[in-house]
Amino acid sequence: MDIEKPQLIEQLNNHNLRPTEARRLVLALLMENNDHPNTDQIIRSLYDKGFKVSIATLYQNLEKLVEVGLLIRIKGPDGVMRFDANIQPHHHLICDICGKMTDIKINGDTLPTHHPIDFQTGLPVEGWDIDHIKIEYKGTCSNCKK
Ligand SMILES: [Zn+2]
Ligand SMILES: [Zn+2]
């Protein structure tokens, strides 16, 4: 894992964040393998790679990275918050058994162009600006099927 990557430092600078070691560590880890980890998993992965970050420091920096838009916070199927370094609009494929989360491309032509229909009235919803749609594909991953 290369935390001296100019691209990493540039990204943080572009978002007016000082490229501290903790921030570079988190971003480098997630860029290398964006498996949507939770805080515990991030701490463990960093520890396995020989880096020690305190929980308080990690929490603080994850907050900051989410705030400036370099990370997205998402709730996993177990209700625990996870972090996603893919900040492009995308959907998720989620395993019900192990919680594995995979990024799914949004296929432009599958997005409904009509207004969403209100469940109660059966009429198109009026007065809203819809800016994105989130779809969760759920099931059993190939590993858990074995
Ligand atoms: Zn699974
Ligand atoms: Zn994702």
Side-chain angles (χ1 to χ4, degrees):
M1 194 168 76
D2 180 12
I3 66 162
E4 303 301 333
K5 235 192 216 157
Q7 191 198 345
L8 218 57
I9 296 164
E10 201 184 293
Q11 246 190 339
L12 287 162
N13 281 330
N14 284 345
H15 288 80
N16 293 319
L17 285 187
R18 217 155 36 83
T20 60
E21 188 182 49
R23 290 170 185 162
R24 282 182 287 137
L25 280 171
V26 171
L27 277 188
L29 181 77
L30 279 153
M31 279 172 161
E32 194 173 88
N33 181 20
N34 187 21
D35 57 356
H36 308 80
N38 60 34
T39 318
D40 287 349
Q41 289 165 331
I42 294 174
I43 295 243
R44 210 171 321 132
S45 300
L46 290 177
Y47 188 82
D48 288 347
K49 291 177 190 294
F51 299 102
K52 248 183 150 172
V53 178
S54 78
I55 294 195
T57 305
L58 184 65
Y59 267 106
Q60 224 172 43
N61 284 296
L62 286 170
E63 285 300 315
K64 261 277 169 260
L65 290 166
V66 169
E67 197 183 299
V68 301
L70 279 172
L71 290 182
I72 294 170
R73 196 190 345 236
I74 33 163
K75 201 185 260 182
D78 52 3
V80 177
M81 283 302 172
R82 301 193 188 187
F83 296 88
D84 191 346
N86 181 0
I87 53 174
Q88 306 294 323
H90 64 283
H91 298 316
H92 287 121
L93 179 63
I94 304 163
C95 176
D96 283 326
I97 297 170
C98 68
K100 179 185 163 76
M101 226 183 240
T102 305
D103 287 346
I104 298 293
K105 261 212 163 79
I106 293 180
N107 200 349
D109 53 23
T110 65
L111 291 176
T113 49
H114 59 77
H115 283 294
I117 304 296
D118 186 295
F119 195 92
Q120 298 284 334
T121 64
L123 297 169
V125 173
E126 300 287 347
W128 279 65
D129 291 332
I130 309 294
D131 53 30
H132 67 278
I133 296 172
K134 278 255 172 270
I135 297 177
E136 284 187 349
Y137 296 76
K138 304 194 89 175
T140 309
C141 78
S142 52
N143 240 345
C144 291
K145 244 171 53 182
K146 281 180 206 152

